Amino acid sequence: MPPRSATDQTLEQQNEEELSSLHSKIKSLRSVTIDILDDSGRQNDQLDRTGNIFTSFGNSLFSTQRHHSRTMAASSTLRQYRTIGYIVGAVVALWFVLKLWHLGGGGKAPVDADYGS
């Protein structure tokens, strides 16, 4: 085997350094990939839990609506009108209270900056 020249040794050393640098980049990339995989797993779990919560809420809402429909169907028309009247009355009363609050000083007009006129 012929002796290696200084150029060959320099090239071999540069190759080793580049290989070491590449190995370090691969380890970094692997770590980032694992972190992304773990994060996507956590996000999928969160989405599953959120989906389950919304499904449960939808089922509860449907059950409440069905119960309300049965109650209203079984009750007299007078009870339905009374319920609608209570709702409309509450909205009108709230509007009236807010209107009085606004007129009574709850919503003050901006002060005019021009005092000399």
Side-chain angles (χ1 to χ4, degrees):
M1 178 175 219
R4 293 173 35 173
S5 68
T7 306
D8 288 343
Q9 288 178 354
T10 304
L11 289 175
E12 184 70 29
Q13 183 180 3
Q14 288 176 351
N15 281 344
E16 289 296 324
E17 289 172 1
E18 290 296 322
L19 186 60
S20 176
S21 172
L22 185 59
H23 182 67
S24 138
K25 289 177 183 177
I26 289 173
K27 284 173 63 176
S28 238
L29 185 59
R30 183 172 188 252
S31 173
V32 167
T33 304
I34 289 172
D35 288 346
I36 289 172
L37 179 66
D38 291 344
D39 188 50
S40 70
R42 283 190 302 272
Q43 288 181 9
N44 282 337
D45 289 344
Q46 181 66 32
L47 285 173
D48 287 343
R49 283 192 303 272
T50 302
N52 291 341
I53 288 170
F54 275 112
T55 300
S56 173
F57 176 73
N59 290 338
S60 176
L61 188 62
F62 178 72
S63 174
T64 301
Q65 183 267 336
R66 194 175 60 227
H67 176 72
H68 176 72
S69 295
R70 279 194 313 244
T71 302
M72 285 301 181
S75 67
S76 68
T77 306
L78 180 62
R79 180 181 277 184
Q80 291 176 9
Y81 287 138
R82 189 181 315 148
T83 303
I84 292 170
Y86 288 149
I87 293 170
V88 169
V91 169
V92 169
L94 180 63
W95 176 81
F96 188 67
V97 167
L98 289 175
K99 192 71 165 172
L100 285 177
W101 177 76
H102 182 67
L103 292 177
K108 294 193 183 274
V111 177
D112 191 9
D114 188 14
Y115 297 112
S117 358

